[in-house]
Amino acid sequence: MSTTGRPRRATIRDVALEAGVSRGTVSRVLNGEPYVSAQAREAIEAAVAKVGYVPNTAARNLALQRAQAVGFIVHEPHELFLEDPNIGAILLGANRVLSGADHQMVSLVIDSERDSSRVARYLSGGFVDGAVVVSARQNDSLLGAIGRLSIPATLVGRPPADVQVPWVGIDNRGAAAAITEHLVGTGRRRIGMIAVALDRDSGADRLAGFRDALGDRFDERLVVDRPLYEYTAGRTAMEELLDRDPDVDGVFAASDAVAAGALDALRARGRRVPEDVGVVGFDDSSWARRTHPQLTTVHQPARLLGERAAESVLAQLRGEAPEPGGTLLETHVVLRGSA
């Protein structure tokens, strides 16, 4: 018994004494090496069970210079990390792959430049072997740190043009054009957009797709932007859009959470959906099925994005070259009652 009252951890020496063999022989058995007699192997296995020996994974990983862990880095406010169903689905997908490969996932949330510096220091300490990065921004200092440290990493979403990092994503621009074209096809004439997160690829590309679909009918006054994919952003932006043009009869909200806020703002102003205003979202998250009416939206495979990103990091850790140019997963429009 130690002086602190904590039970002493069994060691390889204890196993060797119990089995009557050398520590080297015990080490060879524990590491799965050959050239150990069946009799010695049986004695060692029995001794391991008797003394309660558990391998010191931390010490082994230190010797191998591996942490056996991968960071899951999300550049969003802490409350959005908990509330956004897409982030949750991406996280679950990444965790499924990493746990299947016997890697721990470490969640790291960046809500400020101070957080970026803290996470960069953490990465430089060797606590994780690689990283899955979600919601990277333009001029993101963390991406620079990952590059300097040469950490195997994969982004969920297309990286900024000047950053060469493997990535997995969707065609946000094409999907936004498709959902906007559907809205036009329902007979809407004054179509606005609640654009969000224009400092990252998803937001900027969804606005570009909206513009592509409308062509000459695009009216910049009917675009209201907000920084975050959240319900309150949708509500306040919809109110602003109605103030700018009370005749708006169609709205593309850049996410389902934003669309849910827009629906409540329309209801508060006495506008019926879809009779007076058609509304479409993006993501096909749980928000899309909780609203009334339910949302017509773009389905993006969030969990699969997490899985593919984690697989990419593990492949890099095995020394495999990442896919050049990134990987795009398919999306499709899901028709429901809001448009």
Side-chain angles (χ1 to χ4, degrees):
M1 182 74 71
S2 69
T3 56
T4 62
R6 184 184 300 168
R8 187 177 70 84
R9 185 187 183 117
T11 66
I12 286 181
R13 182 174 181 274
D14 297 323
V15 176
L17 288 173
E18 178 64 31
V21 299
S22 70
R23 281 180 288 181
T25 303
V26 173
S27 181
R28 285 196 295 276
V29 170
L30 294 177
N31 290 324
E33 298 176 11
Y35 312 119
V36 178
S37 69
Q39 183 179 0
R41 190 178 298 277
E42 290 175 5
I44 290 168
E45 291 171 351
V48 166
K50 184 173 181 179
V51 304
Y53 173 76
V54 177
N56 189 333
T57 304
R60 183 194 68 184
N61 288 342
L62 183 62
L64 295 173
Q65 295 188 317
R66 282 288 180 88
Q68 207 70 11
V70 170
F72 184 84
I73 304 173
V74 179
H75 198 150
E76 295 286 7
H78 298 88
E79 61 273 13
L80 198 60
F81 174 78
L82 296 174
E83 295 174 3
D84 190 316
N86 275 326
I87 294 175
I90 294 169
L91 182 150
L92 290 174
N95 187 64
R96 189 193 72 78
V97 169
L98 294 173
S99 62
D102 200 26
H103 279 62
Q104 180 64 38
M105 188 175 75
V106 180
S107 296
L108 304 164
V109 183
I110 295 178
D111 193 8
S112 65
E113 189 57 40
R114 181 174 178 272
D115 285 342
S116 292
S117 299
R118 172 181 55 79
V119 171
R121 290 195 303 271
Y122 181 84
L123 296 178
S124 68
F127 299 106
V128 296
D129 302 319
V132 172
V133 183
V134 181
S135 299
R137 267 62 165 181
Q138 295 287 340
N139 304 316
D140 197 326
S141 62
L142 181 71
L143 296 182
I146 288 173
R148 289 192 301 273
L149 296 168
S150 298
I151 294 174
T154 298
L155 269 59
V156 176
R158 182 170 47 80
D162 59 340
V163 176
Q164 300 299 313
V165 181
W167 59 277
V168 179
I170 61 170
D171 179 6
N172 281 288
R173 185 167 185 163
I179 195 76
T180 304
E181 287 165 1
H182 168 75
L183 197 54
V184 171
T186 64
R188 315 295 167 169
R189 292 293 176 263
R190 296 291 293 163
I191 300 177
M193 179 178 180
I194 302 175
V196 180
L198 298 181
D199 60 344
R200 66 194 93 159
D201 72 297
S202 60
D205 284 354
R206 290 174 197 179
L207 175 56
F210 175 75
R211 185 192 291 263
D212 291 343
L214 290 183
D216 293 340
R217 290 170 294 177
F218 175 77
D219 185 343
E220 194 168 342
R221 294 186 309 107
L222 298 184
V223 176
V224 178
D225 66 275
R226 291 292 185 269
L228 299 173
Y229 292 111
E230 57 183 355
Y231 166 87
T232 53
R235 181 152 192 158
T236 61
M238 189 69 243
E239 291 169 349
E240 182 177 339
L241 186 56
L242 288 171
D243 290 341
R244 290 186 186 183
D245 189 339
D247 294 329
V248 65
D249 62 357
V251 178
F252 169 34
S255 82
D256 293 340
V258 173
L263 287 175
D264 281 352
L266 287 165
R267 189 175 297 112
R269 294 284 187 99
R271 305 297 176 88
R272 300 169 301 162
V273 176
E275 292 85 354
D276 300 326
V277 183
V279 178
V280 296
F282 200 108
D283 293 330
D284 196 22
S285 67
S286 56
W287 278 105
R289 293 175 294 279
R290 294 206 308 258
T291 61
H292 181 74
Q294 293 187 339
L295 285 170
T296 289
T297 186
V298 172
H299 174 80
Q300 68 162 322
R303 187 175 294 230
L304 186 58
L305 286 168
E307 292 176 358
R308 292 291 176 81
E311 288 167 357
S312 172
V313 172
L314 292 174
Q316 292 174 65
L317 290 174
R318 293 192 298 268
E320 300 174 18
E323 288 285 333
T327 301
L328 286 176
L329 303 185
E330 291 185 1
T331 62
H332 59 271
V333 173
V334 179
L335 301 179
R336 296 194 180 95
S338 67

